[in-house]
Amino acid sequence: MPDSILRLENLTTEFTTPEGVIRPVNGVTLELGRGRTLALTGESGSGKTSIALSILNLLPHAARIAGGHIYFRGEDLLGLTSEEMRRIRGREVAMVFQDPATGLNPVLSVGQQVEEAITTHLDLSKREARARTIEVLAHAGLPDPPGIIDRFPFQLSGGMAQRVTIAIAVALNPQLLILDEPTSAVDVTVQAAILEDLRRMQDERGTSIVLITHDFGIVAQMADEVAVMYAGSVVEQAPVRTLFERPLHPYTWSLLGSRPRLDREVDGPLVAIRGNPPSLAELGTECAFLDRCPKALSKCRAEPAPELAQLEPGHAAACYNPVFHSQLQVPAR
């Protein structure tokens, strides 16, 4: 991808658990262009958040990056010291976590938390930091920033708290913003407003975004490229419209078929994906989707899992028997 800001090459992240070593990120290669949005989607536990934590070097103590590279603006983040990574984290690369209730400190005011994000990287006076905080809160769409600045998280609604976490993340105008289910804790009206504000900020600042979500409606609205993950691996990657119009991997096809749609009969059944996701501690060498796949071949059981490969121009999938046909259509953007 020309002028890419982020590239993951064969990234592998391991967690040590009582059941053994698992790999929630298993040989992932991805690329994100400047000013564009890459959506990571898939069921819970597919490895989406583990990728984000790996990029920021925020993995828990029981986890480690076992292999691969993470290039940000051409520099491998895995070769940086802790201090060098601390200077990048928050200023150049920032993340909005899924739950604002846990992302905000309950004993610090909103203003203190935004100011801390700013003054950690900028040498500002107290007055300058407060003015910058009010400006950031206003830009994030919060009403009455001078009044909100002295409130505590428990005094905010879910939508307001999420906007505060976004304000903290974008306070220093990072080049890369990672959004982990940014609207999962708010109702649909607030969700639409937050997504619109994020699009506006991206257009104004040219921010590149990694969007983690299981909501294909949000993917359709926000993403330029989509990577579908399953059991720690990317099983399909394509431009957003291509993915909705022509999904190739049976898992992607099944996910899209399970969504409610306005052009279906009201009483018509949704397509369910049979079975359950596999345990990461018990993965074999074959395709992880094998036991749930409606299109599995004998080859799928006899051969190792297929590599992610270009099956059409700009459209990659890891499958021996891709769908190559679908009646699914892209939702309106």
Side-chain angles (χ1 to χ4, degrees), residues 36-255:
R36 296 177 68 80
T37 297
L38 169 66
L40 302 181
T41 190
E43 292 172 276
S44 297
S46 60
K48 306 184 297 295
T49 299
S50 293
I51 287 179
L53 297 179
S54 298
I55 293 171
L56 288 167
N57 193 19
L58 291 176
L59 292 166
H61 293 301
R64 71 182 186 96
I65 295 176
H69 301 276
I70 302 172
Y71 293 105
F72 174 63
R73 299 178 306 186
E75 182 177 28
D76 193 350
L77 297 182
L78 300 184
L80 301 183
T81 65
S82 297
E83 179 59 25
E84 289 171 334
M85 192 65 208
R86 188 191 67 82
R87 288 197 291 266
I88 288 177
R89 191 188 301 121
R91 183 163 190 170
E92 305 293 342
V93 183
M95 182 170 176
V96 176
F97 293 90
Q98 180 172 353
D99 186 1
T102 58
L104 296 175
N105 190 324
V107 300
L108 294 179
S109 69
V110 167
Q112 287 175 303
Q113 297 187 60
V114 180
E115 286 180 22
E116 180 181 20
I118 294 171
T119 57
T120 296
H121 297 279
L122 300 180
D123 185 16
L124 300 178
S125 67
K126 184 70 175 177
R127 177 176 295 181
E128 290 171 332
R130 185 176 179 87
R132 179 70 174 267
T133 295
I134 291 173
E135 177 186 346
V136 166
L137 291 173
H139 201 259
L142 282 154
D144 186 27
I148 289 176
I149 204 170
D150 294 319
R151 294 189 192 178
F152 288 84
F154 73 88
Q155 296 174 304
L156 305 178
S157 67
M160 293 172 69
Q162 189 63 287
R163 287 180 184 273
V164 170
T165 64
I166 293 172
I168 292 172
V170 303
L172 296 171
N173 192 20
Q175 295 184 41
L176 174 62
L177 183 61
I178 302 173
L179 305 173
D180 189 359
E181 301 281 3
T183 58
S184 62
V186 298
D187 61 45
V188 291
T189 303
V190 176
Q191 171 181 293
I194 289 177
L195 293 177
E196 181 59 35
D197 286 339
L198 287 169
R199 281 195 296 268
R200 170 179 54 81
M201 286 188 281
Q202 183 179 36
D203 291 340
E204 292 174 356
R205 303 180 179 189
T207 310
S208 304
I209 294 177
V210 174
L211 172 65
I212 298 170
T213 182
H214 64 273
D215 188 329
F216 273 102
I218 295 176
V219 171
Q221 293 178 57
M222 295 288 292
D224 298 300
E225 299 277 335
V226 188
V228 180
M229 295 196 64
Y230 188 79
S233 299
V234 176
V235 296
E236 185 164 1
Q237 186 172 7
V240 63
R241 182 167 291 276
T242 300
L243 188 92
F244 277 98
E245 292 179 341
R246 195 172 171 83
L248 296 182
H249 198 282
Y251 177 61
T252 309
W253 186 87
S254 299
L255 282 178

Side-chain angles (χ1 to χ4, degrees), residues 216 228 236 243 246-259 264 271 273 289 294-295 323-328:
F216 273 102
V228 180
E236 185 164 1
L243 188 92
R246 195 172 171 83
L248 296 182
H249 198 282
Y251 177 61
T252 309
W253 186 87
S254 299
L255 282 178
L256 291 172
S258 67
R259 296 175 59 250
R264 284 196 181 122
V271 178
I273 303 177
F289 190 59
K295 289 176 64 64
V323 178
F324 277 121
H325 67 274
S326 174
Q327 300 301 316
L328 300 170

